[in-house]
Structures are given as C-alpha cells and as structure tokens.
Amino acid sequence: MTLRPFRIILVLVTSLIPLALLAILVFLAHYSWPALTFNGWHFLTGHTWSLGNLYADPVKRRGVLVPIGANYGILVFIVGTLLTSAIALIIAVPVSLGVAIFLAEGLRSHRLKAPLSFVVEMLAAVPSVVYGLWGYAVLTPLVAHTLGPGLRAVLGFVPFFSGPIGSGYGLLAASIVLSLMVVPIIAATVRDALARVPSETKEAAYALGATHFEVVRRAMLPAVRGNIIGAGILGLGRALGETMAVLMVSGGALNYFPGNIYSPITTMASFIVSQLDSAMQDPTGMAVRSLAEIALILFIISVITNIIARLLTGASRNASPA
C-alpha cells in the first residue's frame, strides 16, 4: 500500500513527456488550421512563397482574408531539407562508424577511451550557433576556393557536381555543418552497441582464425546492424530540425531549386526563423499561420523518425547476435 502513491507519482511524471508532445501537436494543428484549409495540398506541391502586397487591403479567397498576391508553397524548402539531411548522413555515417569502431575496438589504451569518448559526446552539446559561426567564417570560404573547385575537378562529369560554385554558401556547406552535428549522436550510439556485443561472439570468430578487422566486420557490425540503422535515423531527425547553423551557411534561397551541390538552399526549419519577422507584418495573420503549418509538418516528420529509431534500436537490443 505504501508503494501506491509513489507509483502514481511516477506515472504522472512519466506522462508529462507524451502530454507535452500532444500539447505541442494540438497547438500547432489548431493555430495552423486556417492555413491548412486555405492552402490545401498546394502547400506541399507549390514552389512559390510570396507574402503578397502587405500594404493594400486584403482580399477574400477561399473564404478567408489574405493579402493580394499571397501564395504559400513549400516544395522548395522540403527539397532543401531532404537534400541537406541526406548528404549530411552520407558524410556522417561512415565517419561515425569509424569513430565508434576506433573507440570500442581500435583503441588499446583503456585510460584514453573514457576521455576520448567524453570528447565525442561533448560535441553534441556544442550550441548549433557555434557550428554556424565556424561554417560562416571557415567553411564557406573553404568551399568557395578549395573544396568546391576540387570536387568539380574530380566529379565534374556528374551534373550535380558541375556548374558555378558561387560564394560557398549553399547545399554543400550546410550539409557539412549538419554532418559534424550528427556524427557525435551516431558515433556514441554505435560505440555503446559495439561495447555490448558478447565476448563469446568475438572469441568464436577469433577461434575460427579471423583477424581483428574481420571480427569487427563480420561478427560485431552484423550484431549491431539494428543499432546502426536506429542511430542513423536519430541523426536524420537531428538534421531535419536543425535551424541556426543551417541558416548561417545555406544562402537563404527563396523559390529556387538547387541546380547543383553548391547552390544556395533553404530548409523548412531555417525558413521559419528567417521569415517570421516578415510574416508578422501580414495584417491577416495568414503568413504566420502558414509558417506554423510548416512547423506542424516538420514536427510530425521529426516525431516519426525518432519513433522509428527507438523501435529499431530496441528491437536490435532484444535480438540475439547473429
């Protein structure tokens, strides 16, 4: 009987997180409802975002008042979000696997494992604006003068890597910054998974004459395949929602599809921040509500990716190593 109040308190405290997520979802859905009904599916398929004439009298369209010429389409921002996240994962996953394998198996000195692991985990705690400032001051000139020309010289036969490089602000710079922010998440998750691989699995591989590299590649990595997938999806969720760092190096393209990997782009999250001040000048409020609709879509995508990551990671932990 004495445990019952304690259990009730635990249930209430545990319920705060899903209730907070539900409250955010309900708020975004309620606040953006006028935009949802006004924009329809064109919101996802249109590629032109225009606030219209904010100084003329609003006109009634589809039953609501909006500025003359207002149009809200976010396909360009969806493409920018998906491209930056995908390229960031392509860069981050191999690097993260290398870091995780080195920390779990390649580093022989146990005295160095803890501090190096701590350094990797601390990279995830660095504020995103710090990454953005580094990208602005160091990375974008590097892309414009060194990395971009080098990629074009080597891979210029591929259309996506050819064409003008510009000032360095764009898809490539944003993807590199995102990859640096994603690496600690994936590396720490995979390192912990590798450390939990039963010693019997490794000893059996050694008994069959496998080298250290073969043990890692053929025995350990297959055993943590689910963790690697889950960590990658966790990294994807982090990349999808990043705002300030991307905003500082992406170039802020509006109504513009990227022509190559050097093109300026805009992601959904960074667009909300960059356009909020202008949207607040809309006397009808439709622009702000349309930004809330972007936030609703991004919120749903992020929640789904994190749920998938947790399910995959949990399933791999319960499964016996192959």
Side-chain angles (χ1 to χ4, degrees):
M1 294 296 294
T2 57
L3 291 177
R4 181 166 184 149
F6 179 68
R7 290 176 179 173
I8 294 175
I9 293 173
L10 286 180
V11 171
L12 291 175
V13 173
T14 306
S15 301
L16 289 178
I17 295 177
L19 287 176
L21 290 175
L22 181 62
I24 295 173
L25 179 62
V26 170
F27 163 74
L28 289 175
H30 174 73
Y31 189 78
S32 63
W33 183 253
L36 286 166
T37 56
F38 173 76
N39 293 318
W41 290 107
H42 171 75
F43 189 71
L44 298 176
T45 59
H47 54 80
T48 300
W49 178 282
S50 174
L51 299 181
N53 190 345
L54 302 180
Y55 301 99
D57 292 333
V59 295
K60 181 169 281 191
R61 289 168 51 194
R62 303 170 200 163
V64 295
L65 287 174
V66 295
I68 297 174
N71 189 54
Y72 310 106
I74 65 167
L75 182 59
V76 171
F77 314 132
I78 294 175
V79 170
T81 302
L82 295 179
L83 280 178
T84 53
S85 300
I87 297 173
L89 283 185
I90 291 173
I91 299 172
V93 169
V95 175
S96 301
L97 288 179
V99 172
I101 293 171
F102 175 74
L103 292 176
E105 290 295 317
L107 192 61
R108 294 299 184 182
S109 174
H110 293 283
R111 289 185 298 177
L112 292 177
K113 278 189 178 182
L116 287 179
S117 298
F118 177 75
V119 169
V120 171
E121 293 171 356
M122 280 299 298
L123 289 175
V126 175
S128 61
V129 69
V130 175
Y131 285 104
L133 185 60
W134 172 82
Y136 166 80
V138 178
L139 182 59
T140 53
L142 186 66
V143 169
H145 303 298
T146 304
L147 186 57
L151 280 176
R152 187 171 60 181
V154 175
L155 300 174
F157 61 92
V158 180
F160 195 55
F161 291 93
S162 61
I165 296 174
S167 60
Y169 296 92
L171 177 58
L172 180 58
S175 300
I176 293 175
V177 169
L178 277 181
S179 68
L180 292 177
M181 303 176 70
V182 167
V183 162
I185 298 172
I186 302 177
T189 304
V190 176
R191 179 208 62 202
D192 292 341
L194 289 172
R196 290 194 301 269
V197 174
S199 59
E200 292 83 0
T201 301
K202 295 184 284 186
E203 291 170 359
Y206 282 123
L208 293 174
T211 64
H212 194 184
F213 174 76
E214 290 173 332
V215 169
V216 172
R217 184 170 66 91
R218 299 195 176 188
M220 299 183 68
L221 288 181
V224 299
R225 185 183 296 113
N227 297 79
I228 295 173
I229 297 173
I233 298 178
L234 277 176
L236 175 62
R238 177 72 173 90
L240 288 171
E242 179 49 44
T243 304
M244 287 307 301
V246 175
L247 179 63
M248 296 171 72
V249 299
S250 63
L254 186 64
N255 305 331
Y256 176 79
F257 285 105
N260 56 31
I261 197 171
Y262 321 107
S263 298
I265 52 95
T266 298
T267 63
M268 297 167 70
S270 63
F271 181 74
I272 294 173
V273 174
S274 64
Q275 290 295 309
L276 182 59
D277 186 60
S278 299
M280 292 178 67
Q281 308 306 314
D282 181 358
T284 68
M286 186 55 67
V288 177
R289 294 183 185 274
S290 294
L291 291 180
E293 187 178 355
I294 300 177
L296 175 64
I297 296 171
L298 188 59
F299 177 80
I300 293 173
I301 293 174
S302 298
V303 169
I304 291 174
T305 54
N306 279 276
I307 290 175
I308 294 174
R310 295 296 181 185
L311 290 176
L312 289 174
T313 304
S316 67
R317 287 176 180 173
N318 295 330
S320 58

